[in-house]
Amino acid sequence: MKLPLIHATAHPRGTSRVAHGAQLHRRELPVPATVLGRLLVSPPLEILLELATLLPVWDLVAAVDAVVGPASRTPSLSLADVRAFASNTTGRPGVAILRKAASLARERVESPGETYVRLLVTAAGFPEPTPNLPTIHPDTGQERRIDNAYEHIRLGLEYDGSWRSKSKQQWQSDEERRNELASYGWTLSRQTGQDVRQPLSFLLRLRTVFDMLGVGRAAPAVDHIRSFANSLSTADLSLQWSTRRPASTSRRLEKKTGRFRTRI
């Protein structure tokens, strides 16, 4: 089944009648609320806590990344705010998962794919890359951002989740950008949704690149990478991308966090 798109909060002894496709959350009233148009809705922090009862950890990390990211509709909310909320909240369902997700979340992330690539390489034993690192062309002064970057070795991990739908002009623009970054010393590695669904080949390639750049000691051993890729748990993986999907999950996962809504 799909995750519900409508969530409602009710008193523990209140009604249990909700429309089909809705999810009821019970807690003592009154609860924090904000106004969205003509609706009284939960604020982003409350929504993240509600999502923590429904999503695996990595999906929740992607939601937190989005809420505190550059494209957020709530720019006043920081990652420090999410962590403080999770730390100060006790006795609520999902709070332990939210604390874990908040500790793994980062600012400046622009897409769920970037989140999953960062989590994969870090969990596999590679150093953590810097999200959306700005780089400046030494001659033109033009700024480019790299999805996940290892600045000290000038290695960038670029998630490309929409390559099949790109126009010729978009493709040419991407190639120009890649060539420009390469001209001043950056090596770029591209990832797709397939690399996240089945990460073994991507992680082994990344280890080879670390060797080529002279930092092989900072990369995990091949046996460790193989063991990690074979042991990935649905408790961490996105429900959309897990190859061992629980029976209750849908083939398409929609996530809604305040006004943030994305389909992977």
Side-chain angles (χ1 to χ4, degrees), residues 70 108-110 114 130-136 142-149 156-158 177 180-181 184 186 188:
R108 303 198 310 272
V109 180
E110 296 184 351
E114 295 172 19
T130 301
N132 277 287
L133 178 76
T135 66
I136 306 297
Q142 182 169 1
E143 179 180 295
R144 301 283 194 182
R145 292 193 307 277
I146 297 175
D147 292 352
N148 286 291
L157 309 180
E158 295 276 285
R177 174 179 172 277
E180 181 182 304
L181 287 166
Y184 57 99
W186 280 91
L188 297 183

Side-chain angles (χ1 to χ4, degrees), residues 40-111:
L40 190 65
V41 299
S42 299
L45 291 173
E46 287 290 325
I47 292 174
L48 288 174
L49 186 55
E50 293 168 3
L51 286 176
T53 67
L54 300 169
L55 299 177
V57 173
W58 286 8
D59 276 352
L60 188 60
V61 175
V64 177
D65 280 358
V67 168
V68 302
S72 174
R73 300 279 184 98
T74 55
S76 62
L77 190 65
S78 70
L79 181 55
D81 294 330
V82 178
R83 289 173 175 170
F85 172 78
S87 177
N88 296 331
T89 301
T90 58
R92 300 269 310 273
V95 67
I97 298 174
L98 180 57
R99 288 173 187 160
K100 182 177 181 180
S103 72
L104 295 172
R106 299 293 182 264
E107 295 176 326
R108 303 198 310 272
V109 180
E110 296 184 351
S111 76

Side-chain angles (χ1 to χ4, degrees), residues 125-165:
F126 290 91
E128 181 174 333
T130 301
N132 277 287
L133 178 76
T135 66
I136 306 297
H137 194 290
D139 297 326
T140 67
Q142 182 169 1
E143 179 180 295
R144 301 283 194 182
R145 292 193 307 277
I146 297 175
D147 292 352
N148 286 291
Y150 295 104
E151 186 174 15
H152 64 297
I153 54 175
R154 296 207 169 196
L155 170 62
L157 309 180
E158 295 276 285
Y159 180 75
D160 191 354
S162 58
W163 62 272
R164 283 194 178 94
S165 60

Side-chain angles (χ1 to χ4, degrees), residues 155-201:
L155 170 62
L157 309 180
E158 295 276 285
Y159 180 75
D160 191 354
S162 58
W163 62 272
R164 283 194 178 94
S165 60
K166 283 185 177 180
S167 66
K168 182 177 180 180
Q169 184 177 3
Q170 289 172 318
W171 183 84
Q172 289 175 336
S173 176
D174 283 351
E175 288 304 301
E176 179 182 348
R177 174 179 172 277
R178 291 172 62 86
N179 291 336
E180 181 182 304
L181 287 166
S183 73
Y184 57 99
W186 280 91
T187 299
L188 297 183
S189 172
R190 180 182 293 168
Q191 296 80 50
T192 65
Q194 181 66 22
D195 291 315
V196 178
R197 285 190 292 271
Q198 299 176 339
L200 178 59
S201 295

